[in-house]
Amino acid sequence: MEHQKVLVLDFGGQYNQLIARRVRDLGVFCDLKPCDMTVEEIKAYDPIGIIFTGGPNSVYEESSPHVSKEIFSLGIPVLGICYGCQLTAYTLGGEVTHAITSEYGKREVTLVKESPLLKGIPQKSVCWMSHTDYVSKVPAGFSVLGQTEACPVAIFACEERKIYGVQYHPEVVHSEYGNEILKNFLYEICKAAGDWTMSNFVAEQIEKIRKKVGDKKVLCAMSGGVDSAVAATLIYKAVGSQLTSVFVDHGLLRKYEADEVMSVFRDGLGMNLIKADCGEIFVGKLVGVTDPETKRKIIGEEFIRAFEKEAKKIGAVDYLVQGTIYPDVIESGKGKSAVIKSHHNVGGLPSVVDFKEIIEPLRDLFKDEVRKVGFELGLPRKVVMRQPFPGPGLAIRIMGEVTPEKLETLRDADYIFRDEIAKAGLDEKIWQYFAVITNSPTVGVMGDFRTYENVIALRAVTSVDAMTADWARIPYDVLEKISTRIVNEVKHANRIVYDITSKPPATIEWE
Ligand code: XMP
């Protein structure tokens, strides 16, 4: 059975994906779609409710995104948030005013009228505001439900038509009862059934994949990362030995990583997983290469070559699996941004594999949902909660030329770092943590001898999506242990530094 759907129309605000994730977390499937979707397209999509997101614009600017009045007459409940709230008031004949100063941060919201939208929310609570314009007069037939000191209309509604507006951001954690607002909208107003669960998803997908694949052959590129691991396992559960997976070991992985992948998926699950040992080829291609972008390009191209070689041995297949996830699919509509780093992923594979169709079983899922599916499929915690790891691997964590000796030093240092972070119980609290070898050796003293060895930098960040990040406040005693262990146990390392830069202006990886 198809699940119910909520439509989240994207007006360009910074919290938009968060709104969609919250809705999904509440057990209702939703899609984030560009705000210029037509009324016909909306009708065809057949949502049980529509949410307008926030956005950076002002409703009075001609170039700002607007919506047709007709959307409000479809009989589908609407919730407008921030810009979406102003747009709702403006479109239906209310007034929006430009404030002299913006309101930003925590505010107290006072409820002034009862509503199913506000079920279970106390009369006063904290909300998170971020706006300049505000609704100064509600449209005819609407009433004010809540106010803040600066904002006469913080929440408004027309209960008969099931149209609601909230000026603040219910999706952010700083809005105390924000989740209740979203939950009430979904369950009290849209009458959602709550049919979006990961166990339903797994059951649905397995059936779909079986039907689609029949007795045909499927090929998957496994990287050891969460997305490709979950995608491959899902397909494996559906079609078993009809799936062949290829794992290219480019010799730039972390300590024990390749063995772990083989032991979990081939030995543990029984998957038909082929490991291509290409370490020497990759490291050979990187001799003398110091420019980060050149390194990335070489690794990306070599990866495709390595996969092609294995795919040729397997011969023609019918389907190629890709671990694409929802954030890769969402049309952002924000225009082209500058290339900061050229990411290498499996994007180039379709050109070298003889296949008929791509299967992307995770293309509807956010990362946290992919992880839940991983647990649902019985994958071990260390695979499901694995921190992100870049395609070019340790090559972009060794500044300058990659050499086998530096790879060994880095692997050992990184292993100690990870070990101590796990022992301190921080491994699932920090988004990413790894060691880097800088290319500026320094002088040290060990025993009575002078040393001239590598500086190891430790990088650890907290983040929600890797777009922005802050350096993790690792306790000093943990840092001390890591530093002592690395200089004592790892060859060719005599100094440890901790990176205390946020992103922006720095990036998470050093290259
Ligand atoms: P930066 O360094 O750009 O990294 O702040 C953001 C996130 O992306 C990861 N990263 C990559 N992932 N291929 C990947 O699949 C790549 O080439 C690549 N480069 C960076 C990085 O580890 C962080 O999580």
Side-chain angles (χ1 to χ4, degrees):
M1 197 197 72
E2 265 296 301
H3 40 254
Q4 296 178 326
K5 294 175 292 183
V6 161
L7 182 61
V8 182
L9 284 186
D10 183 355
F11 288 90
Q14 54 179 325
Y15 303 124
N16 296 353
Q17 286 200 25
L18 194 54
I19 298 177
R21 280 169 52 196
R22 293 266 181 267
V23 170
R24 301 257 194 115
D25 252 1
L26 287 163
V28 183
F29 181 80
C30 69
D31 266 315
L32 189 62
K33 296 273 193 190
C35 60
D36 57 3
M37 207 172 169
T38 65
V39 173
E40 284 316 306
E41 286 166 339
I42 293 173
K43 277 201 224 159
Y45 182 86
D46 193 25
I48 60 164
I50 303 172
I51 298 177
F52 294 169
T53 75
N57 302 88
S58 173
V59 289
Y60 290 112
E61 282 159 26
E62 228 170 87
S63 57
S64 297
H66 289 98
V67 288
S68 155
K69 218 172 168 170
E70 245 188 284
I71 290 188
F72 299 98
S73 310
L74 297 174
I76 304 168
V78 175
L79 171 66
I81 295 173
C82 196
Y83 178 77
C85 161
Q86 295 153 18
L87 189 65
T88 302
Y90 169 83
T91 311
L92 296 172
E95 269 173 31
V96 174
T97 302
H98 191 69
I100 300 163
T101 52
S102 303
E103 193 186 18
Y104 184 77
K106 287 182 183 173
R107 291 288 178 277
E108 186 177 73
V109 59
T110 306
L111 306 185
V112 295
K113 195 169 188 288
E114 282 190 10
S115 163
L117 186 75
L118 306 175
K119 197 177 141 189
I121 303 179
Q123 203 202 358
K124 286 187 190 295
S125 64
V126 172
C127 68
W128 181 263
M129 287 283 189
S130 172
H131 68 118
T132 308
D133 288 3
Y134 63 93
V135 177
S136 44
K137 195 168 156 226
V138 297
F142 280 71
S143 41
V144 179
L145 304 183
Q147 303 171 321
T148 66
E149 206 175 297
C151 198
V153 186
I155 312 171
F156 71 92
C158 175
E159 304 286 358
E160 300 78 58
R161 297 175 67 187
K162 295 190 185 332
I163 301 171
Y164 299 84
V166 179
Q167 178 53 61
Y168 58 87
H169 288 275
E171 68 277 18
V172 307
V173 286
H174 316 288
S175 289
E176 251 183 317
Y177 290 88
N179 218 36
E180 271 71 11
I181 298 248
L182 295 174
K183 186 168 159 196
N184 289 335
F185 178 69
L186 298 171
Y187 288 92
E188 300 299 320
I189 293 152
C190 303
K191 306 289 181 201
D195 57 5
W196 178 246
T197 66
M198 290 307 107
S199 63
N200 284 354
F201 173 84
V202 167
E204 256 175 42
Q205 279 299 316
I206 288 184
E207 206 184 304
K208 253 194 195 162
I209 296 164
R210 275 193 191 137
K211 222 181 242 166
K212 186 180 181 118
V213 171
D215 57 0
K216 305 272 174 23
K217 277 164 79 177
V218 191
L219 178 64
C220 177
M222 283 256 300
S223 66
V226 184
D227 303 341
S228 68
V230 172
T233 311
L234 197 52
I235 306 274
Y236 177 66
K237 297 263 168 172
V239 299
S241 60
Q242 286 160 250
L243 169 72
T244 306
S245 297
V246 174
F247 169 45
V248 174
D249 178 358
H250 55 17
L252 306 165
L253 296 168
R254 290 169 293 190
K255 195 163 173 149
Y256 303 136
E257 200 160 30
D259 292 342
E260 273 171 20
V261 170
M262 296 313 285
S263 97
V264 170
F265 296 96
R266 188 192 56 193
D267 309 339
L269 282 178
M271 211 183 258
N272 179 13
L273 176 61
I274 298 164
K275 177 154 146 301
D277 278 314
C278 307
E280 276 179 26
I281 301 174
F282 278 78
V283 177
K285 293 272 175 192
L286 292 169
V287 170
V289 183
T290 53
D291 175 60
E293 275 301 284
T294 315
K295 282 192 207 170
R296 283 172 172 274
K297 293 254 158 65
I298 291 173
I299 296 164
E301 279 163 23
E302 267 326 296
F303 184 84
I304 292 170
R305 291 285 85 75
F307 192 79
E308 181 181 28
K309 209 168 131 203
E310 290 305 317
K312 279 223 170 92
K313 288 186 206 157
I314 295 161
V317 294
D318 303 277
Y319 296 97
L320 178 68
V321 184
Q322 295 212 324
T324 318
I325 68 170
Y326 195 55
D328 309 326
V329 178
I330 297 171
E331 296 170 55
S332 75
K334 286 181 197 137
K336 274 216 150 109
S337 45
V339 175
I340 309 291
K341 295 176 186 185
S342 50
H343 276 208
H344 121 75
N345 48 35
V346 290
L349 294 186
S351 62
V352 297
V353 179
D354 187 2
F355 73 104
K356 296 199 188 81
E357 207 183 322
I358 286 178
I359 320 187
E360 298 172 311
L362 310 178
R363 63 177 284 127
D364 278 341
L365 304 187
F366 283 111
K367 193 83 179 187
D368 41 349
E369 294 175 312
V370 172
R371 292 210 157 101
K372 284 185 198 156
V373 169
F375 284 126
E376 201 65 49
L377 292 168
L379 288 175
R381 192 165 187 93
K382 66 172 187 254
V383 172
V384 175
M385 298 311 289
R386 183 183 188 265
Q387 53 168 319
F389 186 67
L394 301 182
I396 56 165
R397 294 177 179 173
I398 294 175
M399 304 303 97
E401 189 186 6
V402 176
T403 63
E405 188 186 67
K406 285 194 169 176
L407 273 169
E408 196 185 332
T409 301
L410 181 57
R411 271 198 191 104
D412 290 344
D414 187 72
Y415 187 76
I416 291 172
F417 188 15
R418 285 191 286 143
D419 186 42
E420 289 300 330
I421 289 290
K423 280 185 187 149
L426 297 171
D427 50 339
E428 288 183 21
K429 297 201 173 98
I430 302 176
W431 170 268
Q432 224 172 339
Y433 47 98
F434 53 86
V436 170
I437 292 198
T438 69
N439 55 354
S440 44
T442 63
V443 173
V445 54
M446 256 185 202
D448 293 328
F449 295 99
R450 174 188 192 268
T451 59
Y452 188 58
E453 297 286 9
N454 294 299
V455 177
I456 303 283
L458 304 175
R459 178 68 159 150
V461 296
T462 53
S463 177
V464 279
D465 53 11
M467 301 293 289
T468 59
D470 196 7
W471 58 279
R473 270 50 171 184
I474 297 177
Y476 281 175
D477 56 336
V478 179
L479 285 173
E480 185 189 359
K481 236 183 249 162
I482 296 163
S483 162
T484 310
R485 276 194 64 191
I486 294 176
V487 286
N488 282 319
E489 295 174 34
V490 179
K491 268 194 240 153
H492 307 301
N494 70 351
R495 190 180 296 270
I496 314 296
V497 296
Y498 188 49
D499 180 347
I500 52 166
T501 343
S502 61
K503 171 184 179 176
T507 52
I508 296 176
E509 303 288 348
W510 274 36
E511 282 194 342

